């Protein structure tokens, strides 16, 4: 047997040599990664190019924004302050109120209906679900005139309430999305809650809804984005004091039709909240949309 040599007392063992790939190897790996993800990179460039163009134009001067120059000579960040002033603040507050209250109303009204269609066994349940889905095929422009007459008799035209109050009566797409997710939750959880003495309302609030957070987040984001970008509804119902950003930015562009730097700055400020909300809730949003079709 051969004895292994041991380092003498008080001496440090020689450091292990870490093998690092050569520059040629790293280059080949980088090129391979680019080749594998080439489609994703191309799509990302296509989606990001307009945003980059808007940002570069937003920080240009008035004269340079009308030229063919792509890169700004001077970065005028003061354009964002000029754009976000006056009526823009009021339009932002109106958009926050419209999108926020509509989202809360839709969640409060759609959750009980979706829970009943997913959990209760009653005659005509399938027909009720078909009726809910069929209402999604009706364009809102078809019902605009009779609804406008109804809201005018309640003296609510000129405000955003005719757009927010219908959320209290549920939303067909939200009900269908929530119902699909609630069906995928095992019924044993609700049965165990009933054995412990919970009623249907408490079972829904304490047991089922905490497990349906991805679907709730997906529905909330869909509704929030729809209301934030809604142009047709506020244009029909609201007066200039209650305009949202979607209508206000169009008016802002008409007033500054030659100042493209201010128009681009106002547009970026309009889409910035949507981008921030989506990236903060991206994981739960994708999870909610993915899991809604697990079980039908």
């Amino acid at each position: 047997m051969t004895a292994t040599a041991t380092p003498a007392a008080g001496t440090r063992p020689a450091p292990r040599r870490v093998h690092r790939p050569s520059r040629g190897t790293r280059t080949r790996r980088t090129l391979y990664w680019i080749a594998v993800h080439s489609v994703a990179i191309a799509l990302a460039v296509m989606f990001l190019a307009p945003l980059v163009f808007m940002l570069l134009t937003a920080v240009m001067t008035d004269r340079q924004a009308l030229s063919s120059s792509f890169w700004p000579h001077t970065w005028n960040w003061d354009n964002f302050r000029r754009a976000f002033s006056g009526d823009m603040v009021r339009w932002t507050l109106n958009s926050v109120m419209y999108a926020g209250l509509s989202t809360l109303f839709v969640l409060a009204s759609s959750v009980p209906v979706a829970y009943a269609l997913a959990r209760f066994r009653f005659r005509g349940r399938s027909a009720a679900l078909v009726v809910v889905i069929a209402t999604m095929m009706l364009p809102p422009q078809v019902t605009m005139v009779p609804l406008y007459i109804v809201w005018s008799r309640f003296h609510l035209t000129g405000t955003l309430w005719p757009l927010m109050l219908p959320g209290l009566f549920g939303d067909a797409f939200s009900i269908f999305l929530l119902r699909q997710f609630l069906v995928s939750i095992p019924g044993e959880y609700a049965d165990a809650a009933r054995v412990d003495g919970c009623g249907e309302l408490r079972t829904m609030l304490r047991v089922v809804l905490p497990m349906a957070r991805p679907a709730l987040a997906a529905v909330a984001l869909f509704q929030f984005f729809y209301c934030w970008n809604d142009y047709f509804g506020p244009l029909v119902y609201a007066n200039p004091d209650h305009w949202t950003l979607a209508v206000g930015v169009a008016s802002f562009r008409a007033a500054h039709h030659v100042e493209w730097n201010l128009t681009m700055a106002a547009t970026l400020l309009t889409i910035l909240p949507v981008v921030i909300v989506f990236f903060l809730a991206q994981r739960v949003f994708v999870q909610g949309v993915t899991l809604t079709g697990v079980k039908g």
Side-chain angles (χ1 to χ4, degrees), residues 7 13 21-22 38 51 54 79 81 92 97 101 108 113 123 146 187 206 209 229-230 283:
S22 61
S38 57
L51 295 177
M54 290 171 58
N79 293 337
R81 183 193 62 80
T92 302
M97 182 184 70
L101 289 181
V113 179
R123 182 177 299 177
R206 297 292 184 88
L209 290 188
N229 298 320
D230 187 17
R283 181 181 61 84

Side-chain angles (χ1 to χ4, degrees), residues 5 19 24 41 77 81 128 131 150 156 161 175 187 245 272 286:
H19 177 70
I41 294 174
W77 299 103
R81 183 193 62 80
V131 171
V150 171
L156 291 177
W161 287 110
I175 293 173
L245 278 172
L272 184 61
V286 174

